[in-house]
Amino acid sequence: MSFREKPYWWETARLEAGGPPAPVPGQADVAIVGAGYTGLAAARELARRGARVVVLEAETAGWGASSRNGGMVLTGLKLGVADLRAKVGRELAEEMYRASMESIDCVERIVSEEKIACDFSRCGHLEVASKPGHYRRFAQWAEIAARDFGREARLVPREAMESEIGSRIYFGGLVDEGSGGLNPARFVAGLAYGARNAGALICEQAQVEGIERAAKDGTAGFRVSTARGSVWVREVFVATSGYTGAATPELRRRVVPIGSYIIATAPLPEALAAELVPRGRMIFDSVHFLHYFRLTPDKRMLFGGRAAFFPETQNTIRQSAEILRRDMVRVYPQLAQTPVEYAWGGTLDFTFDMLPHAGTMEGVRFAMGYAGHGVAMATYLGAKMAAVIAGDDVALPFARVPFPTAPLGLYRGRPWFLPLASLWYRFLDLVQ
Ligand SMILES: Cc1cc2nc3c(=O)[nH]c(=O)nc-3n(C[C@H](O)[C@H](O)[C@H](O)COP(=O)(O)OP(=O)(O)OC[C@H]3O[C@@H](n4cnc5c(N)ncnc54)[C@H](O)[C@@H]3O)c2cc1C
């Protein structure tokens, strides 16, 4: 199989600012580490409020998961509502779920305010049941959604699935019309433009190597050192998600980097595209080793999954491309002869409790842990944490739960347990 080893989305967006990277200034009000949705949404909001903001990005703006993902703007969190309630209690679970709904409105509002041409649409999502028991779970969720959240999630029985998907392997589905889809690279490029336009300075190729407390003229603050010089600031916001590294060891101990991979086919004939995804929805299945898929605006099949657990390398991308192609043809035998033109990977940020977290640790602000649900939530928590930094009284449910690390200090940033976790989840997929 021959394909381009780069995100298809990169062909559709202008991510580079062009010219040499901006010099790191000596002083600013706020330093933001990482220029993805989290960091850029925060930078845009803070700059609009008049703060002097510098965004420090190791690579280029949008380089991380934000330009490589499936572009699914999803309601809910990684944890289903029943698990969420069991973990944090009914009240907090409902607040978190409500925040997930607000996060989609937040994306829609920014797209409209910045006029970002990223094909955002409220196309809804379709979760497909990989096993009969999973469809029964969908029915319970639809009941809870209607009763406790006032939301309609519509069940699609197996015999009616043809109206939603051109595949016969699933045991029914659940449609949530509240979700949307977009072109992720264009969205992050638009956020970067919006942040710059509001006055934020984005310094690319400025990997943060250390953050230490340092007072200046009697004012408490931090000295943030980068590969291209250091900056003194009053506030630091860490927005590095799955790429969190040695500069923030306490956060690194709490985030597990996990690879996710995607292939994109050649553009499909209109009639075939309409047969495979008749309503243009964002689709994902119901197992732990899940697959997610959708059509791109130019009608390619974009098919992703956790084909390898480890973050991306040339090897894992090639292996994953083979696995994903095989899996895609199992879902859609109609694509057996369709060439795959792109394959790529990116790194997700899982936490030990599967929840996003936002708050302050050792004086440093952070938001991360979106576990594959970050397009909307990262944007939302970035903007919310900007309001916190600006001094607003913000009630954030994700700041009210402890941010756990592995027990007994067993994890310091090298996820040695991933092969075991991978086996465990494969086992669960067999038996559940
Ligand atoms: C393949 C894939 C598919 C996905 N699909 C979906 C989806 O369909 N829907 C959904 O909701 N979510 C999805 N996600 C998750 C979503 O993309 C992320 O949750 C989201 O992009 C996180 O944004 P972020 O800004 O927090 O982090 P990122 O976009 O990852 O940005 C972090 C940035 O920090 C920089 N950085 C790290 N360390 C340093 C340092 N020391 N100094 C300076 N810079 C640093 C990195 O270079 C990087 O650019 C997917 C993720 C992947 C990988």
Side-chain angles (χ1 to χ4, degrees):
M1 194 170 32
S2 94
F3 47 78
R4 275 169 264 188
E5 270 180 42
K6 69 189 284 201
Y8 156 70
W9 302 118
W10 287 6
E11 307 272 23
T12 67
R14 190 158 174 268
L15 285 162
E16 316 83 47
V24 176
Q27 188 169 334
D29 295 323
V30 184
I32 296 176
V33 189
Y37 302 140
T38 309
L40 292 170
R44 173 181 177 270
E45 181 65 31
L46 280 163
R48 280 162 66 111
R49 290 168 179 247
R52 287 173 308 160
V53 182
V54 56
V55 183
L56 303 165
E57 165 55 51
E59 305 282 341
T60 47
W63 172 89
S66 296
S67 62
R68 302 159 184 256
N69 61 68
M72 304 190 176
V73 190
L74 302 173
T75 56
L77 304 173
K78 175 71 186 166
L79 277 184
V81 163
D83 292 337
L84 192 59
R85 277 183 174 174
K87 198 170 277 275
V88 300
R90 191 182 173 121
E91 199 178 313
L92 212 48
E94 286 177 14
E95 273 185 61
M96 288 180 178
Y97 188 82
R98 225 174 299 123
S100 90
M101 301 304 300
E102 281 172 26
S103 71
I104 300 180
D105 297 340
C106 169
V107 168
E108 190 165 27
R109 192 175 55 251
I110 293 177
V111 166
S112 141
E113 282 173 2
E114 299 293 346
K115 300 186 176 51
I116 305 176
C118 61
D119 299 299
F120 175 84
S121 85
R122 289 262 187 177
C123 50
H125 79 240
L126 168 72
E127 185 172 5
V128 287
S130 304
K131 296 185 178 183
H134 297 181
Y135 184 65
R136 290 194 286 278
R137 215 167 62 201
F138 289 179
Q140 286 164 1
W141 159 233
E143 204 184 302
I144 296 176
R147 193 187 57 223
D148 299 344
F149 298 100
R151 285 202 54 70
E152 196 202 337
R154 187 167 49 79
L155 284 166
V156 186
R158 190 173 192 179
E159 53 283 5
M161 282 291 272
E162 210 180 320
S163 63
E164 287 287 345
I165 185 169
S167 170
R168 293 175 183 279
I169 69 168
Y170 298 110
F171 295 86
L174 185 71
V175 169
D176 188 330
E177 304 276 358
S179 294
L182 50 63
N183 174 326
R186 285 194 179 189
F187 178 51
V188 75
L191 266 179
Y193 180 84
R196 283 195 182 99
N197 216 17
L201 178 67
I202 303 177
C203 297
E204 299 180 322
Q205 286 153 41
Q207 168 143 13
V208 170
E209 292 167 345
I211 301 170
E212 56 184 17
R213 284 186 192 271
K216 188 168 187 163
D217 303 329
T219 306
F222 297 88
R223 178 148 299 283
V224 182
S225 322
T226 82
R228 296 200 291 110
S230 67
V231 53
W232 183 87
V233 287
R234 283 187 294 109
E235 291 269 10
V236 181
F237 178 45
V238 179
T240 47
S241 284
Y243 299 90
T244 300
T248 51
E250 282 307 312
L251 290 169
R252 191 189 197 184
R253 291 173 58 214
R254 289 170 166 79
V255 171
V256 184
I258 291 189
S260 190
Y261 296 84
I262 299 183
I263 54 175
T265 65
L268 308 176
E270 281 289 338
L272 179 57
E275 176 192 329
L276 302 184
V277 190
R279 295 176 195 262
R281 300 210 198 275
M282 305 289 119
I283 306 179
F284 53 93
D285 68 24
S286 58
V287 290
H288 292 287
F289 258 84
L290 94 171
H291 291 116
Y292 48 93
F293 43 102
R294 58 169 291 182
L295 296 173
T296 59
D298 64 347
K299 304 285 186 276
R300 297 167 191 272
M301 174 56 66
L302 184 146
F303 194 92
R306 211 152 298 139
F309 237 54
F310 283 100
E312 68 275 15
T313 61
Q314 214 176 40
N315 264 348
T316 56
I317 292 174
R318 289 194 185 148
Q319 285 163 8
S320 301
E322 296 288 344
I323 297 170
L324 288 172
R325 187 186 148 72
R326 184 200 65 201
D327 293 354
M328 176 182 76
V329 173
R330 204 173 65 79
V331 176
Y332 289 123
Q334 304 94 314
L335 294 177
Q337 303 306 323
T338 306
V340 168
E341 292 195 341
Y342 297 87
W344 68 96
T347 305
L348 298 171
D349 48 333
F350 274 72
T351 55
F352 286 94
D353 59 4
M354 296 278 183
L355 289 175
H357 290 270
T360 309
M361 193 177 286
E362 298 177 331
V364 170
R365 318 286 191 167
F366 65 88
M368 56 188 61
Y370 312 112
H373 270 57
V375 175
M377 193 50 85
T379 309
Y380 174 78
L381 286 185
K384 284 285 176 192
M385 284 305 293
V388 170
I389 292 168
D392 289 4
D393 188 12
V394 181
L396 261 189
F398 306 104
R400 303 216 299 275
V401 280
F403 193 172
T405 181
L408 309 172
L410 283 172
Y411 174 58
R412 306 216 152 264
R414 200 182 62 80
W416 54 268
F417 45 79
L418 280 188
L420 298 176
S422 158
L423 284 175
W424 173 242
Y425 284 117
R426 281 188 202 281
F427 170 72
L428 289 183
D429 282 340
L430 271 180
V431 297
Q432 284 185 335

